[in-house]
Amino acid sequence: MEKKNIDWGNLGFGYIQTDYRFVSNFKDGKWDDGELSTDANIVLNECSCVLQYAQTVFEGLKAYTTEDGRTVVFRPDLNGERLEQSAARLKMPVYPKEKFLEAVQKVVKANEAFVPPYGSGASLYLRPYMFGSDPVIGVKPATEYQFRILTTPVGPYFKGGVKPLTVRICDYDRAAPHGTGNIKAGLNYAMSLFAIVDAHEKGFDENFYLDAATRTKIEETGGANIIFITKDGKLVTPKSDSILPSITRRSIVQVAREYLDMEAEEREIHVDELADFAECGLCGTAAVISPVGKIVDHGKEICLPAGMTDMGPVTKKLYDTLTGIQMGRIKGPEGWVVEVC
Ligand code: PLP
Ligand code: COI
């Protein structure tokens, strides 16, 4: 398979149009078989539910080229399950996990020339999404839907590679109300746009959102969960019902316990204990594990002892093991790495 002529090593996290996307329509109470399309544009009625009431959910996963030249995706079954949960919460028809997994296979195979080569530091990002497409004007769910998977080759989410990030404790809430923070819904992300632009304008890379009820506990950032390493080498990560159940985070916890013999704990994390941690990182499909060097809490700077100039040593071990599994250098647990071609 001849790869496209792209400068893989210098890709950022942006949209590059690829040759094919998967498209399936829901009408009269059922999904059609779906097909690959070369058309990247969508024509919608002006009153479609997605445009008026943001009835849309999405997922994110990556395809990689392994060391031995295979094309694989990482734990797509968990994306399929989470998409089902997100859709149910927004009163959308579920796109069945089995059909989801078939669509992932088809769209990656069709765009194999866009899957970055092994060692380039890049990957093919898959963005499955679904939206209510027919017109509604009263507040109610659509009756017709479209499910699509677009693909785009991407490099690191944060500019500067492993240069540690500076984040701030954020006074704005990220999630839409009514507890929808734990699903991947477009509205949640729209609600975070004001805060992320404000953070960037003030020189911060990201926001640490707090729990909306007490504003004392750390939740997550706009596009990633958070992990901390204690001074005695334990992994700690926030427990909350209003953060996205990150597949990367769940994988890191298992990697810590089963591959690195570390203790890993999911618990509430208070703002006033941040200064006690040795390392911190943002984790997600896009973020992978991006180290945090400094947390600013309303003018008070917390500089983490490891990670001001480079990734901390424990974070590095987690990063190397996780990416080693994803790229086929280390054997992963059963079912984590799924071959496409
Ligand atoms: N939290 C938010 C708000 C996200 O957008 C993402 C990215 O999908 C994550 C966490 C990380 O989740 P995952 O590891 O499943 O990509
Ligand atoms: C992902 O990591 O897949 C995400 O959805 C993060 C994102 C908002 C770019």
Side-chain angles (χ1 to χ4, degrees), residues 233-308:
K234 190 159 117 187
L235 172 69
V236 187
T237 182
K239 185 180 176 65
S240 163
D241 289 339
S242 56
I243 63 177
L244 194 75
S246 158
I247 294 162
T248 313
R249 189 257 283 268
R250 284 179 263 168
S251 304
I252 290 169
V253 165
Q254 199 172 330
V255 159
R257 290 182 182 143
E258 293 176 11
Y259 286 72
L260 301 174
D261 207 17
M262 282 170 62
E263 259 184 76
E265 189 185 12
E266 208 181 318
R267 65 163 169 84
E268 290 184 346
I269 296 175
H270 288 257
V271 179
D272 55 17
E273 59 177 311
L274 288 178
D276 299 337
F277 292 116
E279 299 175 36
C280 174
L282 309 186
C283 70
T285 299
V288 192
I289 306 180
S290 302
V292 172
K294 193 195 282 185
I295 306 167
V296 181
D297 180 7
H298 300 90
K300 191 180 87 191
E301 292 196 352
I302 300 162
C303 295
L304 292 147
M308 283 306 291

Side-chain angles (χ1 to χ4, degrees), residues 64-340:
Y64 310 87
T65 305
T66 58
E67 194 170 23
D68 60 359
R70 292 170 301 134
T71 301
V72 300
V73 285
F74 186 66
R75 308 192 77 179
D77 51 325
L78 297 187
N79 295 96
E81 282 165 24
R82 197 170 57 188
L83 185 74
E84 289 187 356
Q85 288 152 12
S86 297
R89 183 62 179 77
L90 292 201
K91 295 305 285 179
M92 304 168 88
V94 159
Y95 195 77
K97 185 172 101 176
E98 297 66 38
K99 283 171 83 76
F100 175 91
L101 293 172
E102 278 171 31
V104 164
Q105 290 275 340
K106 275 190 194 148
V107 79
V108 173
K109 245 182 225 135
N111 291 300
E112 200 190 340
F114 288 94
V115 182
Y118 175 78
S120 63
S123 52
L124 186 72
Y125 185 69
L126 276 66
R127 173 57 64 89
Y129 59 111
M130 197 203 291
F131 51 87
S133 52
D134 59 321
V136 295
I137 192 73
V139 180
K140 62 178 184 193
T143 56
E144 295 179 10
Y145 293 84
Q146 192 163 91
F147 167 78
R148 298 175 77 103
I149 306 180
L150 72 80
T151 62
T152 178
V154 295
Y157 188 65
F158 294 103
K159 284 189 224 66
V162 296
K163 189 181 156 289
L165 307 168
T166 297
V167 303
R168 69 162 180 189
I169 303 293
C170 184
D171 290 327
Y172 301 104
D173 284 331
R174 164 192 65 99
H178 314 306
T180 52
N182 58 358
I183 59 167
K184 260 178 106 63
L187 189 57
N188 295 341
Y189 292 80
M191 290 294 278
S192 77
L193 296 177
F194 186 91
I196 192 67
V197 171
D198 187 62
H200 287 164
E201 281 171 2
K202 294 182 171 129
F204 302 103
D205 296 299
E206 256 295 358
N207 292 302
F208 272 15
Y209 294 103
L210 299 178
D211 73 293
T214 71
R215 310 205 62 78
T216 58
K217 289 172 264 178
I218 301 294
E219 296 243 298
E220 65 171 334
T221 70
N225 277 185
I226 308 168
I227 56 169
F228 296 97
I229 307 297
T230 61
K231 288 184 179 141
D232 57 358
K234 190 159 117 187
L235 172 69
V236 187
T237 182
K239 185 180 176 65
S240 163
D241 289 339
S242 56
I243 63 177
L244 194 75
S246 158
I247 294 162
T248 313
R249 189 257 283 268
R250 284 179 263 168
S251 304
I252 290 169
V253 165
Q254 199 172 330
V255 159
R257 290 182 182 143
E258 293 176 11
Y259 286 72
L260 301 174
D261 207 17
M262 282 170 62
E263 259 184 76
E265 189 185 12
E266 208 181 318
R267 65 163 169 84
E268 290 184 346
I269 296 175
H270 288 257
V271 179
D272 55 17
E273 59 177 311
L274 288 178
D276 299 337
F277 292 116
E279 299 175 36
C280 174
L282 309 186
C283 70
T285 299
V288 192
I289 306 180
S290 302
V292 172
K294 193 195 282 185
I295 306 167
V296 181
D297 180 7
H298 300 90
K300 191 180 87 191
E301 292 196 352
I302 300 162
C303 295
L304 292 147
M308 283 306 291
T309 53
D310 208 347
M311 208 180 256
V314 180
T315 307
K316 178 90 172 65
K317 265 197 247 172
L318 289 165
Y319 178 91
D320 287 345
T321 313
L322 177 70
T323 54
I325 292 170
Q326 290 167 334
M327 312 285 167
R329 290 188 297 270
I330 298 171
K331 186 171 165 24
E334 192 61 33
W336 278 25
V337 174
V338 176
E339 194 165 319
V340 175

